[in-house]
Amino acid sequence: METKEEVRTPVSQQPYTVDVTEEVDGIGSKVSIEINDKKISVPLGMTILEACRENQIHIPTLCHHPDLCIAGTCRICVVELEGMHTLQTACSFPITSPLKLHTSTPMVRKARRHIVDLLLSEHYGECYSCVRNNNCELQSLAKEYGVDQYTFGHVTEPTFERDNSSPSVVRDMSKCVMCKRCVRTCIDLQEVGVLEAIDRGDQTHISTFQEKPLADVICINCGQCINRCPTGALHANDPSDDIWNAIDDTQKHVIIQTAPSPRAAIGEMFGQEPGTSYTGELNTALRRVGFDKVFDTNFTADLTIMEEGTELLLRLYKALVEKDGSMALPQFTSCSPGWVKYLEHFYPEYIDNLSSAKSPQQMFGTLIKTFYAKESGIDPKDIVTVALMPCAAKKFECNRPEMNDSGYKDVDYGLTTRELGQMIREAGIHLPEMSQSHFDQPFGDASGAGLIFGATGGVMEAAIRTVAELVTGVKAEDLFDNARVTPVRGFEGIRYLEIPIADVGPVPEILKDLIPDFEWLKGAVLKVAVAHGTANAKKIMEDIKAGGKFSECHFIEFMACPGGCLGGGGQPIPTNEEIRNKRANAIYTEEESLPVRKSHENENVTTLYDKFLTEGPCGHLSHKLLHTHYTKRGKYIA
Amino acid sequence: MEILKESKTIRTGPVLFSHYTRGEGVKKAIQLSREDILLEVKESKLKGRGGAGFPAATKWMIAAAAQSDEKYIICNADEGEPGTFKDRVLLMEYPELIFEGMVIAGYTIGASKGIVYLRGEYEYMLASLEDYLYVMRQDNLLGKNILGKDDFNFDISIRLGSGAYVCGEETALIESLEGNRGEARNRPPYPANTGFNGNPTVVNNVETLASIPHILIKGGEWYSKRGTDKSTGSKLFSVSGDCEKPGVYELPWGTSISELLSMVGAENAKAVQVGGASGICIPKGQFNRKLGYEDLPTGGSIMVFGENRDMLAVLKNFMEFFTEESCGQCTPCRIGNVKLLEGVEMIEKGNYTFKYINTLKELGQTMQLASKCGLGQSSPNSFISILDNFKDEIFHSNRSNGRSNGRRKN
Ligand SMILES: Cc1cc2nc3c(=O)[nH]c(=O)nc-3n(C[C@H](O)[C@H](O)[C@H](O)COP(=O)(O)O)c2cc1C
Ligand code: SF4
């Protein structure tokens, strides 16, 4: 075992680590084993599953997920070990001594077939009427084991009511296979802890606190459970029927804004390898589907940087120069609605630290129904705003009661990458074959800084490029190699960076009315941090509570989902570290090819401030339209 | 509860129910080295009395060899197997044996903490057991530098279980002690290496621990001479059901079923369930079989069924028990037991095919092989053994076998 403090999951759920190093064979040494009569040598402590996979021997799995700790409960991965009278699960069995194993004996095949048959006997529904048709691990297992009948029967009525109380996550427990991947996601990966197994024996099922509907518990809507559900038991609350209706309604002007990370992932829904962006193709496909306008959420990401960056400078100025003790620092980013709700539940005392800037999605909704409606002469009541997001929580966010500053519901529908992929398919379009096209005016194509919002650390990098350049007067490209702020990139759970400000420049035009000079920042060290996944967010929050190093930070980026938006709960299934890495590569590669890579250099943004938000960032109109407030929810449920 | 307190124990026996002077075992132990005790226990060939029959000395040696600042001795007093009530008698009448067994175990493996996981329904014993621990502390049989032995500190606390059968399974028990849902863990790692809070932990049954002081005092060799070659010593059997003298009997291993039946006044029995719900059911024709690890192992539960018992009803009762008591985490056990129970109900209604019943028996084998813990691994035992051993009664009664005629269903 690692240090005891780190053990937060039940020990049974921990991957086994070898703790006896005194033996002749220490960590790092090899063990010779035989798999299916073939001799191989594997690192001490490796599991049988890992050893088989490394040697191209297929072992079926169901409850196993590379992001999660080991459960060993579905039993589908059983193998035969010579000398042991029961079968052993490959996923959980650590190789610590020489052994001989067989992965396809009559006993093994029969057991696996029985397990699939048993799961099918309790699994309600037919594949053709399921969201996960063709992307379901139970279905694949049934195929792999040649199931052609329901040996142990099959339920014909749903065994549970569907819980569709949440705007984000729908639970359909009649399709649950009890792999508990959602439970492990919620408890271990996200440390939220909304889902758990309750009751015993054949009554065992996954539920919430007091079996309350998901909308009434402290679910943060991140949807990470959906991404890890092997079946259709968990899925997002899908608005596509309503969107089709709007598209088909000639009275309605239907606008879709597309977030950065779905572009880097949607190809996966069309059989493409992870890691290719389909930005231009997607634009064309969306018009073919019937959207009247396609806008780039990166535009409002750039706008977010202007608003949130200015807010940060103002907070710092008031705190450091005007000695205003009420200024909450560090400032926390607010663009991840899962993170926002997490904070509202778990650390409500810190809501003043959240940037009041709305998320890019919500800023766009407001702007479309105000600025764009006026510019284009369309009555905002006839505009339907759809947001393509990698996210389940965005659905909750657009339904927050306060999100109607335009006088209408700012964003009508949050649509996930998966749901849009399905709409595109339904329209008879094969995305990768589309020609490329640009985003629509007046917002146009945005900057690279907006694009990297899709990866963890991206908001911070975009903010640093802009704030550092505005404050020092030195080009971000000269401050950082090719404007890459590499220390905030990557998938390390928590990243920390100190940026010394050696010299300051003159206050740029756009901030003149707010801050007289930057002299007070001369010689200062800007301290920032990045966390992704709420388990990491929790670590930072606990550190801040204890007055640790993160309490001295000025600005912290939090993303609810592991990997940031590219690993969001609305992204194509499956997800794992390798896939998230490839999506990140796609984003960073595309970013470097863009002509503009800093938010404040996005001309459409400056035009917006010239023409519409004339008082500049954090001005009155900005405050009315682009900023918001939060709710102290707490974690105690009535 | 009153009935429970009244035990009809046959209170004399060669080992556990023999005379014992309080404190003697610990006194003896601290004069010995850890290695000497391990050798003594090894020589006794004592196997775990909780059901699985794992050699006690081996378990202790693994835990003794494990490097850790903290180690634990857990006394498994969950006694949940249907038909078992022998631990209750030990707890009520011989707590000194159990507690001293724990102290000795702690001394041997280098643990300083002992925990008794007491079946929730035995709460009524809690006060007297706590009193007993208090007295032991007064007498320095517990506490710091026990009986003057420098640096030998050991204390015992009692924790109540809350009713799940599976919590008697050692890893589920540990999960339960840690405050989690009572669910079995993956093995390896085994508790002796990675147990309570990740520390080396010896989990032993009440009776296993209670045998230790006698073994130390009288010697491992003396103990191993009793019973049979592979099943040494004597064993407590809780006998219940259709017999004249139900109760707890201390008998040497190797006693045959028919010997036992005549002892308890049940010569006319038609069947004996050995090992509780998770054990196997022996028909009259096989009453010459002997109790012991060689043939009929048991944690102690012996249920006698008389001539008038409906064996299908007996089986149904067992399967209902497992359907409810599975912890529900693993597929073969959670759903498999439901299917076996459904099979029993089909037979009951006469609505079955032999083909399907055979499929269910094969499923039972899968459950034995592929379930995560002993519960699912042993729950098909009674299904398979009762259907095999009582074929005539079950299938040739006036229940129809539900042959289908291939007509359209309406
Ligand atoms: C479902 C299940 C229930 C069990 N219940 C008990 C119990 O009530 N008491 C007990 O001593 N062992 C019980 N066991 C056995 C324990 O897992 C374990 O093997 C035993 O406590 C080890 O002690 P021993 O080696 O002294 O027998 C149970 C096992 C299973 C699979
Ligand atoms: S065999 Fe049964 S009791 Fe044991 S882990 Fe599996 S479901 Fe739980």
Side-chain angles (χ1 to χ4, degrees):
Chain A
M1 280 291 108
E2 303 290 314
T3 52
K4 304 251 157 56
E5 286 71 41
E6 279 176 29
V7 179
R8 57 189 160 76
T9 52
V11 182
S12 59
Q13 316 273 294
Q14 297 275 325
Y16 179 67
T17 42
V18 179
D19 50 352
V20 194
T21 42
E22 288 179 348
E23 284 173 21
V24 246
D25 292 346
I27 301 271
S29 58
K30 297 267 190 172
V31 186
S32 313
I33 61 167
E34 270 180 39
I35 307 182
N36 301 338
D37 300 323
K38 192 179 139 207
K39 284 197 175 60
I40 53 170
S41 156
V42 300
L44 182 74
M46 179 180 241
T47 65
I48 291 178
L49 179 66
E50 290 163 338
C52 288
R53 291 204 167 151
E54 280 209 348
N55 289 279
Q56 283 75 47
I57 295 162
H58 172 72
I59 305 272
T61 54
L62 183 63
C63 67
H64 181 264
H65 191 285
D67 287 341
L68 304 172
C69 55
I70 290 160
T73 53
C74 74
R75 317 301 288 173
I76 195 77
C77 69
V78 284
V79 295
E80 206 175 314
L81 252 63
E82 284 183 22
M84 294 193 89
H85 66 282
T86 55
L87 300 174
Q88 302 297 318
T89 42
C91 70
S92 69
F93 199 101
I95 300 168
T96 52
S97 55
L99 46 85
K100 293 182 181 177
L101 66 100
H102 302 273
T103 64
S104 175
T105 62
M107 211 149 90
V108 166
R109 284 194 307 273
K110 184 171 269 180
R112 290 184 186 161
R113 172 70 196 260
H114 275 146
I115 288 165
V116 175
D117 282 334
L118 287 175
L119 289 170
L120 289 174
S121 77
E122 284 208 325
H123 183 79
Y124 170 71
E126 303 299 340
C127 296
Y128 45 75
S129 58
C130 178
V131 275
R132 291 292 294 274
N133 191 8
N134 269 333
N135 184 15
C136 167
E137 294 178 40
L138 183 61
Q139 192 182 39
S140 309
L141 283 175
K143 179 147 193 255
E144 190 174 327
Y145 286 90
V147 173
D148 53 3
Q149 61 173 6
Y150 292 125
T151 306
F152 301 114
H154 186 55
V155 281
T156 50
E157 293 294 324
T159 34
F160 291 86
E161 272 176 39
R162 271 158 53 106
D163 174 2
N164 57 8
S165 61
S166 156
S168 297
V169 182
V170 177
R171 298 175 63 242
D172 187 358
M173 288 300 103
S174 305
K175 290 182 178 171
C176 174
V177 291
M178 287 297 300
C179 67
K180 291 209 214 169
R181 276 159 43 165
C182 57
V183 173
R184 282 174 283 151
T185 302
C186 199
I187 296 182
D188 303 335
L189 193 70
Q190 293 294 70
E191 295 202 29
V192 174
V194 159
L195 302 172
E196 226 331 351
I198 70 163
D199 286 350
R200 198 173 61 191
D202 59 335
Q203 299 299 307
T204 314
H205 62 289
I206 308 299
S207 195
T208 58
F209 177 67
Q210 290 187 344
E211 304 231 44
K212 285 183 186 287
L214 209 50
D216 297 346
V217 295
I218 54 171
C219 168
I220 62 166
N221 304 310
C222 68
Q224 288 299 310
C225 52
I226 302 178
N227 286 14
R228 288 170 186 77
C229 179
T231 71
L234 292 170
H235 56 88
N237 209 333
D238 183 357
S240 49
D241 284 346
D242 292 346
I243 296 172
W244 280 120
N245 287 341
I247 288 174
D248 294 339
D249 183 343
T250 48
Q251 282 294 302
K252 298 289 181 200
H253 185 70
V254 188
I255 298 175
I256 188 162
Q257 54 162 309
T258 75
S261 56
R263 304 165 199 175
I266 195 163
E268 294 162 34
M269 295 201 60
F270 295 88
Q272 306 299 302
E273 275 297 300
T276 315
S277 279
Y278 286 94
T279 312
E281 292 84 348
L282 186 59
N283 290 345
T284 312
L286 289 168
R287 292 190 186 94
R288 285 266 290 269
V289 166
F291 289 100
D292 296 299
K293 290 283 176 210
V294 183
F295 292 150
D296 187 354
T297 308
N298 300 355
F299 170 81
T300 34
D302 284 337
L303 196 60
T304 299
I305 291 300
M306 297 309 292
E307 294 292 331
E308 200 163 324
T310 306
E311 182 186 352
L312 175 65
L313 287 172
L314 282 174
R315 281 194 200 220
L316 292 175
Y317 182 74
K318 285 183 187 153
L320 302 177
V321 181
E322 295 179 352
K323 307 286 178 211
D324 177 351
S326 71
M327 278 299 113
L329 282 170
Q331 176 174 306
F332 300 156
T333 59
S334 60
C335 27
S336 164
W339 150 247
V340 168
K341 192 156 183 266
Y342 178 81
L343 183 109
E344 289 176 330
H345 281 305
F346 290 85
Y347 300 96
E349 66 274 29
Y350 285 94
I351 64 171
D352 290 340
N353 294 63
L354 276 175
S355 162
S356 64
K358 284 182 184 170
S359 70
Q361 159 178 297
Q362 291 307 125
M363 285 194 183
F364 225 142
T366 322
L367 282 182
I368 290 171
K369 292 196 180 177
T370 53
F371 172 72
Y372 171 78
K374 207 165 102 198
E375 290 275 303
S376 59
I378 301 171
D379 187 338
K381 82 170 181 359
D382 291 328
I383 298 179
V384 175
T385 46
V386 179
L388 168 63
M389 292 288 144
C391 185
K394 288 282 170 193
K395 294 169 187 283
F396 173 85
E397 185 185 30
C398 78
N399 282 303
R400 289 176 79 116
E402 64 273 19
M403 292 296 181
N404 55 4
D405 291 320
S406 61
Y408 300 87
K409 189 178 175 198
D410 294 331
V411 172
D412 291 293
Y413 303 109
L415 188 68
T416 63
T417 314
R418 292 189 299 269
E419 291 154 355
L420 180 75
Q422 178 54 37
M423 287 180 75
I424 293 178
R425 211 181 278 140
E426 209 172 327
I429 297 165
H430 186 60
L431 179 73
E433 288 167 359
M434 290 286 102
S435 60
Q436 300 192 347
S437 60
H438 285 277
F439 289 98
D440 285 309
Q441 292 302 338
F443 303 108
D445 297 335
S447 82
L451 181 66
I452 56 174
F453 265 56
T456 162
V459 179
M460 186 53 72
E461 180 163 351
I464 290 172
R465 287 181 191 174
T466 288
V467 172
E469 190 168 310
L470 292 185
V471 168
T472 60
V474 184
K475 288 270 164 219
E477 287 78 357
D478 297 331
L479 291 168
F480 307 97
D481 171 35
N482 200 14
R484 294 181 198 127
V485 190
T486 32
V488 297
R489 293 189 182 184
F491 288 116
E492 192 64 42
I494 294 173
R495 278 101 72 202
Y496 174 82
L497 176 64
E498 294 187 357
I499 306 167
I501 302 174
D503 219 339
V504 294
V507 177
E509 194 61 39
I510 196 160
L511 300 176
K512 275 247 161 71
D513 293 344
L514 300 170
I515 300 167
D517 63 69
F518 284 141
E519 286 308 309
W520 51 281
L521 276 172
K522 203 167 179 169
V525 178
L526 191 64
K527 295 176 182 170
V528 302
V530 172
H532 61 128
T534 39
N536 291 314
K538 180 176 173 183
K539 287 191 192 129
I540 290 196
M541 291 308 299
E542 290 300 321
D543 178 86
I544 291 177
K545 261 177 126 167
K549 124 176 162 187
F550 292 103
S551 64
E552 316 231 308
C553 277
H554 303 107
F555 191 32
I556 306 182
E557 176 201 301
F558 291 100
M559 291 291 154
C561 293
C565 305
L566 56 88
Q571 291 282 64
I573 298 169
T575 185
N576 58 46
E577 197 167 345
E578 188 191 335
I579 293 176
R580 292 193 291 273
N581 255 311
K582 288 182 174 166
R583 291 176 187 162
N585 272 339
I587 289 177
Y588 285 116
T589 311
E590 185 181 356
E591 199 266 328
E592 302 224 339
S593 73
L594 295 180
V596 179
R597 294 178 58 218
K598 285 166 290 186
S599 300
H600 58 282
E601 289 181 354
N602 180 336
E603 281 180 9
N604 290 320
V605 169
T606 24
T607 312
L608 185 77
Y609 281 116
D610 289 343
K611 274 171 60 178
F612 185 61
L613 304 167
T614 47
E615 293 154 299
C618 296
H620 275 109
L621 192 57
S622 261
H623 256 291
K624 181 170 178 300
L625 299 181
L626 305 184
H627 289 252
T628 185
H629 56 272
Y630 307 99
T631 312
K632 288 188 178 179
R633 295 177 199 270
K635 53 184 165 182
Y636 298 98
I637 300 163
Chain B
M1 274 307 148
E2 274 315 302
I3 332 154
L4 274 179
K5 283 191 204 174
E6 265 306 312
S7 69
K8 301 180 184 167
T9 330
I10 309 298
R11 275 192 204 73
T12 51
V15 185
L16 288 165
F17 292 158
S18 67
H19 173 76
Y20 178 73
T21 314
R22 205 164 68 82
E24 235 179 83
V26 176
K27 226 172 274 167
K28 179 79 188 277
I30 58 168
Q31 289 158 14
L32 299 171
S33 70
R34 302 165 81 189
E35 291 73 20
D36 289 340
I37 300 179
L38 284 172
L39 281 178
E40 208 66 63
V41 177
K42 189 171 177 199
E43 198 167 3
S44 76
K45 297 203 239 166
L46 171 68
K47 288 186 178 166
R49 299 302 196 220
F54 191 79
T58 312
K59 197 183 279 188
W60 287 22
M61 276 174 194
I62 297 169
Q67 302 287 319
S68 175
D69 296 341
E70 249 175 77
K71 297 183 186 180
Y72 291 90
I73 303 295
I74 293 178
C75 168
N76 189 343
D78 197 49
E79 192 156 54
E81 188 64 52
T84 328
F85 42 95
K86 45 111 189 164
D87 292 344
R88 188 186 85 212
V89 173
L90 289 173
L91 288 158
M92 292 283 287
E93 297 173 25
Y94 299 89
E96 66 274 24
L97 287 179
I98 305 164
F99 292 150
E100 287 182 37
M102 290 176 75
V103 176
I104 296 165
Y107 175 73
T108 312
I109 72 153
S112 58
K113 286 185 189 126
I115 304 171
V116 178
Y117 189 86
L118 186 65
R119 179 184 166 100
E121 289 85 344
Y122 292 172
E123 193 180 353
Y124 65 90
M125 298 179 195
L126 189 58
S128 65
L129 290 174
E130 292 283 9
D131 286 350
Y132 199 88
L133 289 175
Y134 177 80
V135 175
M136 281 180 76
R137 281 181 203 115
Q138 300 281 303
D139 296 348
N140 197 215
L141 284 167
L142 286 176
K144 293 237 152 65
N145 303 326
I146 290 174
L147 297 185
K149 183 85 183 173
D150 280 349
D151 294 330
F152 175 43
N153 310 324
F154 192 82
D155 210 334
I156 296 175
S157 60
I158 305 179
R159 300 270 297 270
L160 280 176
S162 40
Y165 167 61
V166 72
C167 287
E169 195 283 332
E170 55 185 8
T171 60
L173 183 153
I174 290 170
E175 286 286 309
S176 162
L177 278 179
E178 288 180 9
N180 300 321
R181 215 180 127 79
E183 288 184 348
R185 295 177 172 178
N186 290 311
R187 264 160 302 197
Y190 296 90
N193 260 315
T194 310
F196 183 58
N197 288 337
N199 298 305
T201 303
V202 162
V203 182
N204 271 141
N205 171 253
V206 168
E207 187 184 342
T208 315
L209 290 164
S211 310
I212 297 291
H214 285 295
I215 289 173
L216 279 206
I217 291 161
K218 296 178 191 137
E221 200 195 336
W222 168 85
Y223 189 85
S224 72
K225 289 216 175 93
R226 283 154 205 282
T228 70
D229 184 34
K230 288 203 173 113
S231 317
T232 58
S234 62
K235 176 82 188 85
L236 300 188
F237 296 97
S238 338
V239 185
S240 62
D242 302 323
C243 60
E244 281 160 29
K245 290 177 279 180
V248 177
Y249 292 77
E250 180 174 12
L251 301 171
W253 280 118
T255 306
S256 74
I257 304 250
S258 46
E259 282 164 354
L260 184 128
L261 288 176
S262 57
M263 221 175 296
V264 303
E267 282 90 347
N268 291 328
K270 130 167 124 182
V272 175
Q273 177 83 11
V274 180
S278 57
I280 59 171
C281 197
I282 308 296
K284 208 177 204 129
Q286 299 176 20
F287 282 175
N288 57 346
R289 290 173 68 177
K290 293 186 166 70
L291 297 163
Y293 300 106
E294 295 91 336
D295 183 17
L296 295 178
T298 166
S301 166
I302 304 284
M303 290 187 234
V304 185
F305 299 113
E307 218 39 75
N308 297 328
R309 294 284 163 184
D310 176 350
M311 293 315 287
L312 193 66
V314 168
L315 174 58
K316 186 176 176 188
N317 185 294
F318 289 153
M319 293 326 299
E320 281 171 345
F321 174 77
F322 290 121
T323 306
E324 230 172 81
E325 293 294 339
S326 156
C327 82
Q329 65 167 320
C330 78
T331 317
C333 173
R334 181 185 68 252
I335 316 180
N337 280 310
V338 175
K339 296 298 154 192
L340 299 190
L341 174 60
E342 281 172 11
V344 174
E345 287 165 347
M346 285 167 153
I347 300 172
E348 207 176 41
K349 294 196 189 100
N351 183 19
Y352 65 93
T353 60
F354 280 113
K355 183 162 179 271
Y356 188 60
I357 298 302
N358 284 334
T359 305
L360 288 179
K361 283 191 202 159
E362 285 184 11
L363 171 65
Q365 284 162 10
T366 289
M367 292 164 66
Q368 289 170 330
L369 291 168
S371 292
K372 186 165 177 175
C373 84
L375 193 153
Q377 286 164 7
S378 57
S379 65
N381 292 351
S382 47
F383 184 87
I384 295 173
S385 64
I386 291 184
L387 291 189
D388 280 350
N389 292 334
F390 300 91
K391 275 197 217 61
D392 293 348
E393 174 188 331
I394 291 173
F395 294 108
H396 295 265
S397 63
N398 46 14
R399 297 178 186 113
S400 101
N401 78 349
R403 207 177 74 172
S404 69
N405 57 16
R407 282 193 214 118
R408 172 192 283 277
K409 292 184 182 173
N410 42 13

